[in-house]
Amino acid sequence: MIASVKSLGRESSRRLIGGQDVGVPAPRSVVPGAHNAQYVLALLIAVSSAAAAPGPSPPPSAPAQTEADEYTRYELLEPGTGRFRIRYEVTATTSGATRFFNPIRKGSVATDEAVSDRLTGRPLRFAVVSGREAGAGGVSEADPSDQYIAVQLPRPVPPEGGVRLLIEKTYQDVKSYFVEADHIVFSRPLGIKRNAVALPAGYELIACNVPAQVLTEADGRVVVSFINTFPGQAAVVLKARRLP
Amino acid sequence: MRPGLSLRMLAAGWAVANAAFAQEAPTRLQERAHQDRDIVYFLRDPETHSFDLYHDYTEAREGTDRYINVVRKGSTVSNPAARILDTGEQLKAEIVRGNAITAAGLDIGEPVRPDSEVVLVRFTPVARGASVRLRISETYADPERYRVEGEELVWDRSFGRPRNAVVLPAGWILTASSIPAVVSETADGRIRLDFVNPRPDEIGVLIKARRRSRAR
C-alpha cells in the first residue's frame, strides 16, 4: 500500500482529492435496488444541510480520512456526447473508519454510479452528503458548499489495512471531451497518479502530451496509460481520429 | 519477476498454477499503471546485510489459494508473516525447504533442489468476482547487494515493480541515489525514498548513505 505522495502534506493531498472525477449525480437510486425517492430525500437533506450551514467546516470529529492506491480508468463513449465512463479504484485506509467520502465536482453531471467492495465484488450503499458532513467525517479542508458521496464501508478499516473500493460512474463534460475538426480531444487535469484512457472503438491515437503506454485491448480499443510521478496534476491532452 | 529481490514470487492456486508464472513475468505490453505490487524495504544496520520488507499485492484470479516466494540461491529468508489487508486476518506463513517442497506438491516453476527454499502462504480460495489484498512480510539477508564500503552504506539492487520504497536505518544520512526518488522523513526520523517507475523495465537502484553522527 503506497500513499507516500500524500504524506508530503495536506496541500498535495487536497489536490489529489480535488482531482477526482465525480460529477453531481442525476436523480437515481443510491442503494442497489432501492427507489429513487430515497435518493431524492438524501439529496434534499444534503442540499438543505449545506445551505443552512455556510462558513468554514467544523473541526473534524473523526480521524482524518486517508486513502491509497488510487487508479482511474476513463472509457471514452460516443464522440460528440461528452460522455465517458469512469472506473475509480481507491483504498480507504483510515483505521476504524466505517464511511468513505468521495468529492463531487461542482457543475457536472454524473449518472450510473455504483460502488462495490473489491474484496467480495458486492455492491455498497452510498449517499450524497454535504461538505460539512464530510468535514465532520474526517475530510480535511472540506468546503461546506461541496457535496460528497459517502460510501458505507462493508467493514471497519482494519489497522494498517484498507477497504478497497471500486467507484464507477458515467460522466458528462463537454469541455473535457469534445470533437475538434476531424478528431476527438480528451483534455483534462488529472490528480490521480495512475490513469488510463480507453479510446472509442475504431479510433487511432494521434497525439498525447504526457509520456504514456499505448496498448490495444482484446476488443480492439486503444488504451493510453500512464503514471504521473510528479506532485501536481497532469494536464492530459489526448487526440484521436476515426479510422477509415 | 523481480530479480533484485533475490527471490522469486509466485502466486498459485491448484487450478491455475501455471497461470501464476504468467503474472510473475509480465510482458512489456501489460498496463504498467494498473500493476498493484508494491514493496517497502526497511534497512537494518548495514553490517548485518539484512533488511525487513513487506510486499503487497492483489490476488484476483478465481480459485487461487496460495502465494509462494521462491528464494533465490545465496539469499536467506526469515520471519515470514502474512495477513489480508482487507480484513486484518493473519495468515500462516511457513518456510518450506528441499524435499518438503516436493512432498507438499508445490509447483515452484523450476526443478526443486535440496537447497531450494520457499515461503508459502495459504489463504481461502478467491471467489469469482472477488479479490484479496495480501501483505507478506519477511526478513532477508543479502551480503552482496546490501553492504558497507568504507564508512558508507551501499544498497545496490534492481527494482522491477512500478512502486518501491526504501527506508534507511535510523541514524543514516542519504548521500546518493542513482535513480530519481521522492525523499521524505518518517515519523521516527528515518529517511525514506520512494521510487516510481512508470516504464515496464527494471531500475538499477544504487543508494549510498553515511552515519549521521560522523557527518556532524
Side-chain angles (χ1 to χ4, degrees):
Chain A
M1 192 172 305
I2 299 285
S4 57
V5 173
K6 294 185 177 184
S7 69
L8 292 177
R10 179 167 293 184
E11 178 61 23
S12 60
S13 174
R14 172 64 176 170
R15 280 187 192 145
L16 288 174
I17 291 172
Q20 293 172 10
D21 272 308
V22 182
V24 170
R28 70 218 175 277
S29 173
V30 293
V31 179
H35 192 272
N36 281 347
Q38 291 179 333
Y39 164 78
V40 174
L41 178 60
L43 185 61
L44 287 173
I45 293 171
V47 170
S48 62
S49 173
S57 294
S61 57
Q65 175 172 295
T66 56
E67 55 267 321
D69 297 339
E70 295 155 291
Y71 168 86
T72 308
R73 175 184 164 98
Y74 299 84
E75 295 188 352
L76 304 186
L77 301 179
E78 184 62 29
T81 66
R83 299 174 73 238
F84 45 91
R85 185 73 175 158
I86 293 174
R87 178 185 170 95
Y88 173 55
E89 299 177 2
V90 61
T91 301
T93 57
T94 309
S95 179
T98 57
R99 291 205 298 174
F100 180 80
F101 298 92
N102 188 224
I104 294 173
R105 183 173 292 192
K106 289 180 179 176
S108 298
V109 176
T111 54
D112 302 327
E113 289 115 321
V115 183
S116 59
D117 175 14
R118 289 161 60 203
L119 175 65
T120 62
R122 296 185 185 125
L124 298 177
R125 290 170 170 266
F126 63 94
V128 177
V129 302
S130 69
R132 172 171 288 271
E133 184 170 341
V139 179
S140 60
E141 302 179 10
D143 185 336
S145 66
D146 281 345
Q147 289 188 311
Y148 285 75
I149 287 178
V151 179
Q152 189 65 46
L153 300 181
R155 70 196 76 83
V157 174
E160 297 185 37
V163 173
R164 293 175 296 122
L165 303 172
L166 172 61
I167 301 174
E168 297 175 281
K169 51 193 166 280
T170 298
Y171 194 93
Q172 184 171 30
D173 187 337
V174 296
K175 292 182 179 178
S176 291
Y177 176 37
F178 52 91
V179 177
E180 183 179 78
D182 65 342
H183 57 269
I184 58 173
V185 178
F186 181 73
S187 175
R188 194 168 186 81
L190 303 180
I192 302 303
K193 297 305 176 187
R194 301 187 296 147
N195 300 277
V197 182
L199 303 183
Y203 275 73
E204 65 165 325
L205 180 69
I206 59 173
C208 177
N209 69 335
V210 298
Q213 276 188 304
V214 180
L215 307 167
T216 299
E217 297 194 328
D219 64 1
R221 284 185 299 173
V222 172
V223 173
V224 179
S225 174
F226 72 97
I227 301 175
N228 175 12
T229 62
F230 289 91
Q233 294 182 333
V236 174
V237 179
L238 301 183
K239 297 181 180 180
R241 186 168 51 212
R242 186 189 296 274
L243 292 167
Chain B
M1 201 75 60
R2 195 164 54 78
L5 186 57
S6 294
L7 53 79
R8 200 163 144 187
M9 289 164 287
L10 303 171
W14 290 114
V16 290
N18 290 334
F21 299 101
Q23 182 182 4
E24 289 302 318
T27 70
R28 288 180 291 168
L29 292 180
Q30 287 185 330
E31 188 186 350
R32 183 72 164 177
H34 202 222
Q35 292 175 9
D36 55 25
R37 293 173 179 263
D38 314 321
I39 189 163
V40 182
Y41 298 86
F42 299 89
L43 307 189
R44 296 188 176 188
D45 193 277
E47 280 85 1
T48 69
H49 308 293
S50 65
F51 47 90
D52 305 305
L53 64 85
Y54 67 76
H55 54 272
D56 299 346
Y57 93 104
T58 300
E59 180 53 77
R61 291 169 298 160
E62 182 183 358
T64 303
D65 64 355
R66 67 189 62 181
Y67 186 86
I68 301 173
N69 285 349
V70 181
V71 181
R72 182 185 293 180
K73 191 174 182 179
S75 293
T76 58
V77 64
S78 59
N79 305 323
R83 64 191 169 96
I84 298 175
L85 287 169
D86 304 290
T87 62
E89 177 188 355
Q90 297 291 328
L91 300 173
K92 181 182 178 184
E94 56 185 317
I95 299 174
V96 186
R97 297 184 175 91
N99 291 336
I101 297 173
T102 305
L106 301 177
D107 183 352
I108 64 172
E110 63 185 39
V112 176
R113 307 180 310 269
D115 60 346
S116 291
E117 191 175 49
V118 304
V119 173
L120 171 65
V121 177
R122 298 180 191 273
F123 49 89
T124 302
V126 176
R128 177 174 295 181
S131 62
V132 61
R133 184 79 172 160
L134 299 170
R135 171 165 294 177
I136 295 93
S137 305
E138 296 156 324
T139 299
Y140 278 84
D142 189 340
E144 187 175 329
R145 296 181 181 83
Y146 181 44
R147 59 188 186 270
V148 177
E149 287 184 0
E151 295 189 345
E152 282 189 316
L153 172 160
V154 176
W155 169 269
D156 188 2
R157 298 174 73 85
S158 322
F159 291 158
R161 291 177 172 148
R163 297 183 292 175
N164 299 271
V166 177
V167 180
L168 299 183
W172 287 80
I173 297 170
L174 176 65
T175 59
S177 175
S178 63
I179 297 294
V182 174
V183 179
S184 59
E185 189 172 17
T186 63
D188 62 1
R190 289 180 291 173
I191 299 301
R192 171 172 170 147
L193 300 92
D194 278 90
F195 299 91
V196 177
N197 178 18
R199 307 188 328 175
D201 58 8
E202 293 188 347
I203 51 176
V205 173
L206 174 60
I207 297 171
K208 294 188 175 184
R210 288 185 310 190
R211 287 190 190 277
R212 192 172 298 279
S213 58
R214 296 178 186 176
R216 289 176 177 167

